[in-house]
Amino acid sequence: MNDIIIFGAGGRVGRAAVAEAAARGHRVTAVVRDPAAHLDLAGVSVTLIQGDVTDAASVAALAAGHTAALNASARMDIPSEEHFTAAAKALVAGLSEAGVRRLLTLGIATTLESEPGVRLMDAPEFPAAWRAFAQGHVAEFELLTAEAGPELDWLMVVPPLDLAPEAKVTGGYRTAVGTVIDGPGRIAHADLARALLDEIEHPRHSRVQLAVSV
């Protein structure tokens, strides 16, 4: 049994990860900005709590005693790069202080390479607004690469472009390091959560973008 802290637990991926972790018998701390809006998350093995993933002191205080952390947070009301770099900085500092050694964070498929050296977001026709949001994850990855010390075993898990609530749950998934995975390019939230928990329970990848798809 692990003690897992999940930031952004109120979102679709966060909720799926909370459910998967609890179903596997782990103890979960579900961190949200407004607990009153997510009371249904609390359960026998799930503690619902208010916290700020962009504040190192908050991360350190909440994460103490946990085995692993997952960042599933996102903000649409502030620039993408501002949120994701602030979260990365706070997680590196806060988890180090708390003694948490494993961090998973969610990426975005547009940062993956479609061929060597060419990312999806580099296409001339790629919408500028989407590129700006994707750049937040690029900056997050670069910050983690530069600032996370050897004591933090981190991984960016990247779902395909079609992360669909209505997608069929298959019970399986495929992975690739840094590149788009051939195929339908979609995954259900429950299958993505399965991949996340597998990497927490049995870490196989570190310090890379790990693409996940069915």
Side-chain angles (χ1 to χ4, degrees):
M1 177 186 295
N2 291 306
D3 291 278
I4 302 169
I5 185 166
I6 300 177
F7 295 91
R12 287 176 172 174
V13 175
R15 284 176 169 272
V18 169
E20 180 69 16
R24 297 189 185 200
H26 301 301
R27 289 184 293 265
V28 181
T29 299
V31 184
V32 297
R33 286 187 290 160
D34 181 12
H38 304 285
L39 295 177
D40 60 306
L41 279 173
V44 174
S45 59
V46 179
T47 301
L48 178 65
I49 196 165
Q50 192 277 333
D52 183 358
V53 72
T54 66
D55 182 89
S58 178
V59 171
L62 297 178
H66 290 77
T67 309
L70 166 64
N71 179 25
S73 70
R75 291 281 298 272
M76 306 307 293
D77 57 332
I78 61 175
S80 169
E81 191 164 345
E82 179 182 333
H83 171 71
F84 288 115
T85 56
K89 283 180 176 290
L91 286 164
V92 168
L95 295 180
S96 176
E97 182 178 340
V100 178
R101 302 305 184 197
R102 181 66 166 166
L103 166 65
L104 270 62
T105 189
L106 290 177
I108 190 169
T110 50
T111 65
L112 297 172
E113 292 186 347
S114 55
E115 58 183 273
V118 180
R119 303 170 300 184
L120 292 178
M121 63 183 286
D122 295 329
E125 68 277 9
F126 195 82
W130 294 6
R131 184 178 291 109
F133 186 83
Q135 184 59 39
H137 286 289
V138 173
E140 176 190 16
F141 185 83
E142 291 175 346
L143 191 149
L144 287 170
T145 300
E147 298 190 12
E151 71 281 354
L152 183 62
D153 182 23
W154 63 269
L155 175 68
M156 181 174 281
V157 177
V158 185
L161 288 173
D162 190 359
L163 179 55
E166 73 281 2
K168 180 181 178 181
V169 178
T170 67
Y173 58 87
R174 296 176 295 148
T175 64
V177 175
T179 64
V180 175
I181 299 174
D182 292 335
R186 70 171 3 206
I187 195 169
H189 290 83
D191 286 331
L192 176 59
R194 184 172 289 106
L196 292 167
L197 266 295
D198 284 351
E199 278 288 345
I200 287 175
E201 291 180 343
H202 305 289
R204 294 186 295 269
H205 301 87
S206 181
R207 297 174 177 266
V208 296
Q209 290 189 93
L210 182 69
V212 178
S213 186
V214 294

